[in-house]
């Protein structure tokens, strides 16, 4: 299966090439939590692609000894190097030409570095878009977004859902045509018009570094008492969510999305060692959202990543009502009153 991404054609290598791409972050609705082998997911997941939270990266490749430099807005960032070095090692089998190049990588995030928003999805997605674009120029073929997603997965699992499409499924699922553990597939066609303009306002409860890395968290699903039930539940939730997205069924969407968020955190609380990534303010926000929804009928719901920040998901037509809720009640729970207004986007783009 992986062999489909190995190069079969001849390459027309050049002395120097520069490409620039941008790729967004994504927010999972059915969560990826647990992996095996070489970055293979324990269960299928689905996400909305975001728009405003993006990484923009320029890569200059110069023929010569393999190596790289990495900078953020032109300032060298040696602390980013180990992840990139590991990434290059992992993709070498699929892009052997990289051994003949030195790469100068400069990157920029549209969201603050210290926002507690994981940049690994957008940064690994954009780097993979750059590598795949170069390769397509060497082979004289069209950009292969599945290969870009495949490479991104080797950098960070969730990154493979940030390449193409408003909604992306990653992981084999019986009812999702073309789904694969190896790369994300564009499932924008699942989206009823109600979901095509969904908003995601990210309430920044805690901007600190993650206490437990995702990689460690995924590992704790090995031998987890509830792992088997959780993985089959994800399949079931994806089936139901697929139908809800197609029908514009916001009620079912809310039920599955919130349950998935709480289940993700329940897995963390019941692993060994156990840990809690929610903060008291995370819970206060959840309670405010529930009270507001009950009182007004506005279909706003929440989801969580592996952290304390709260993603508020809601239809475009409810933006004004949700803005009012944020200003009057929720901003006070955010660190320095900060939150990020984002919405559903379409994926990576060449700059
Ligand atoms: C909770 O993709 O960050 O955001 O593959 O180890 O890089 P690695 O993990 P990562 O895990 C993300 C987990 C999550 C849920 C999700 O995005 O599906």
């Amino acid at each position: 299966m992986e062999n489909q991404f190995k190069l079969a054609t001849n390459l027309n290598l050049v002395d120097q090439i520069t490409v620039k791409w941008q790729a967004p972050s994504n927010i999972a609705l059915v969560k990826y939590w647990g992996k095996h082998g070489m970055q293979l997911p324990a269960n299928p997941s689905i996400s909305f692609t975001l728009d405003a939270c993006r990484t923009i990266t320029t890569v200059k490749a110069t023929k010569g000894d393999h190596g790289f430099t990495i900078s953020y807005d032109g300032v060298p960032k040696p602390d980013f190097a180990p992840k990139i070095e590991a990434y290059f090692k992992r993709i070498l089998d699929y892009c052997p030409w990289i051994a003949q190049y030195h790469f100068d990588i400069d990157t920029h995030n549209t969201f603050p570095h210290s926002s507690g928003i994981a940049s690994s999805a957008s940064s690994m997605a954009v780097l993979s878009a750059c590598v795949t674009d170069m390769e397509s120029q060497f082979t004289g073929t069209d950009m292969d977004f599945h290969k870009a997603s495949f490479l991104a997965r080797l950098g960070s699992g969730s990154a493979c859902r940030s390449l193409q499409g408003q909604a992306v499924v990653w992981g084999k699922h019986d009812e999702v045509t073309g789904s694969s553990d190896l790369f994300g597939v564009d499932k924008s066609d699942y989206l009823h018009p109600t979901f095509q303009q969904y908003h995601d306002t990210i309430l920044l409860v805690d901007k600190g570094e993650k206490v437990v890395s995702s990689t460690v968290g995924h590992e704790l699903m090995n031998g987890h008492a509830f792992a088997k039930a959780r993985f089959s539940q994800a399949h079931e939730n994806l089936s139901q969510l697929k139908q809800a997205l197609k029908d514009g069924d916001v009620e079912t969407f809310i039920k599955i999305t919130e349950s998935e968020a709480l289940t993700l955190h329940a897995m963390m609380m019941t692993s060994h060692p156990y840990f809690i990534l929610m903060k008291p303010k995370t819970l206060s926000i959840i309670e405010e959202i529930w009270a507001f929804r009950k009182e007004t009928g506005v279909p706003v719901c929440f989801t969580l990543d592996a952290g304390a920040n709260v993603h508020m998901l809601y239809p475009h037509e409810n933006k004004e009502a949700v803005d009012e809720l944020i200003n009057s009640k929720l901003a006070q729970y955010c660190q320095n009153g900060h939150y990020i207004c984002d919405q559903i986007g379409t994926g990576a783009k060449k700059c």
Side-chain angles (χ1 to χ4, degrees), residues 315-331:
H316 182 62
E317 65 191 43
N318 300 109
K319 180 149 179 31
E320 224 172 286
V322 175
D323 278 350
E324 163 62 19
L325 169 69
I326 294 169
N327 289 330
S328 63
K329 297 242 173 82
L330 303 184

Side-chain angles (χ1 to χ4, degrees), residues 36-339:
H36 62 97
M38 183 49 82
Q39 291 285 102
L40 298 167
N43 62 262
S45 57
I46 184 168
S47 54
F48 279 163
T49 304
L50 295 182
D51 188 47
C53 293
R54 273 176 281 145
T55 301
I56 301 157
T57 296
T58 305
V59 182
K60 181 169 96 181
T62 311
K63 207 124 192 260
D65 290 342
H66 178 72
F68 68 91
T69 62
I70 171 74
S71 59
Y72 186 90
D73 280 341
V75 180
K77 279 277 171 197
D79 44 324
F80 291 179
K83 245 197 139 171
I84 293 176
E85 198 173 332
Y87 170 77
F88 277 134
K89 277 204 182 106
R90 285 180 185 177
I91 70 165
L92 185 62
D93 272 354
Y94 307 98
C95 308
W97 56 270
I98 63 170
Q100 298 179 52
Y101 282 92
H102 177 89
F103 297 90
D104 290 304
I105 306 165
D106 186 55
T107 190
H108 172 83
N109 292 336
T110 57
F111 49 92
H113 182 55
S114 59
S115 60
I117 296 187
S119 60
S120 65
S122 51
S123 60
M124 286 299 164
V126 74
L127 186 55
S128 304
C130 289
V131 169
T132 312
D133 182 14
M134 285 181 182
E135 188 170 286
S136 72
Q137 296 192 43
F138 297 154
T139 55
T141 52
D142 285 345
M143 169 90 177
D144 179 350
F145 278 92
H146 280 168
K147 179 156 185 178
S149 172
F150 172 87
L151 298 177
R153 188 198 97 235
L154 296 174
S156 177
S158 56
C160 79
R161 298 187 312 237
S162 274
L163 272 306
Q164 199 178 33
Q166 293 180 295
V168 178
V169 170
W170 168 40
K172 185 88 195 91
H173 187 284
D174 287 346
E175 293 161 28
V176 180
T177 321
S179 60
S180 167
D181 283 353
L182 301 179
F183 51 86
V185 285
D186 177 356
K187 289 293 160 190
S188 310
D189 62 324
Y190 285 178
L191 301 185
H192 181 277
T194 305
F195 292 108
Q196 285 167 12
Q197 288 188 22
Y198 240 58
H199 286 262
D200 178 4
T201 300
I202 309 160
L203 303 175
L204 304 175
V205 173
D206 184 16
K207 303 189 195 175
E209 287 286 309
K210 283 190 196 174
V211 205
V212 180
S213 77
S214 296
T215 305
V216 171
H218 288 293
E219 265 164 30
L220 294 176
M221 287 306 283
N222 291 324
H224 192 295
F226 306 137
K228 200 164 164 242
R230 160 60 197 152
F231 299 147
S232 59
Q233 177 199 47
H235 283 261
E236 176 55 28
N237 280 348
L238 186 41
S239 299
Q240 283 191 42
L241 190 64
K242 173 186 163 183
Q243 201 52 48
L245 291 172
K246 287 186 164 192
D247 295 344
D249 175 355
V250 176
E251 207 177 301
T252 305
F253 173 84
I254 291 174
K255 202 177 74 187
I256 305 278
T257 302
E258 291 191 342
S259 169
E260 275 287 323
L262 295 179
T263 301
L264 169 70
H265 283 254
M267 290 301 113
M268 299 172 188
M269 290 188 224
T270 49
S271 61
H272 289 287
Y274 43 82
F275 55 102
I276 302 178
L277 295 185
M278 281 189 259
K279 299 282 182 201
K281 286 176 179 166
T282 311
L283 279 180
S284 299
I285 291 169
I286 291 173
E287 283 176 348
E288 293 278 11
I289 291 173
W290 283 346
F292 176 78
R293 196 164 74 218
K294 199 168 173 200
E295 202 180 302
T296 63
V298 171
V300 53
C301 70
F302 72 87
T303 187
L304 308 165
D305 256 346
N309 296 334
V310 181
H311 290 246
M312 290 173 78
L313 303 173
Y314 52 95
H316 182 62
E317 65 191 43
N318 300 109
K319 180 149 179 31
E320 224 172 286
V322 175
D323 278 350
E324 163 62 19
L325 169 69
I326 294 169
N327 289 330
S328 63
K329 297 242 173 82
L330 303 184
Q332 59 167 321
Y333 298 112
C334 300
Q335 236 181 334
N336 308 118
H338 286 168
Y339 57 90

Side-chain angles (χ1 to χ4, degrees), residues 16-42:
Q16 193 168 82
I17 180 170
T18 301
V19 298
K20 184 176 183 184
W21 279 76
Q22 48 172 295
S25 186
N26 68 76
I27 181 67
L29 306 168
V30 172
K31 308 289 183 181
Y32 147 58
W33 199 243
K35 60 179 170 181
H36 62 97
M38 183 49 82
Q39 291 285 102
L40 298 167

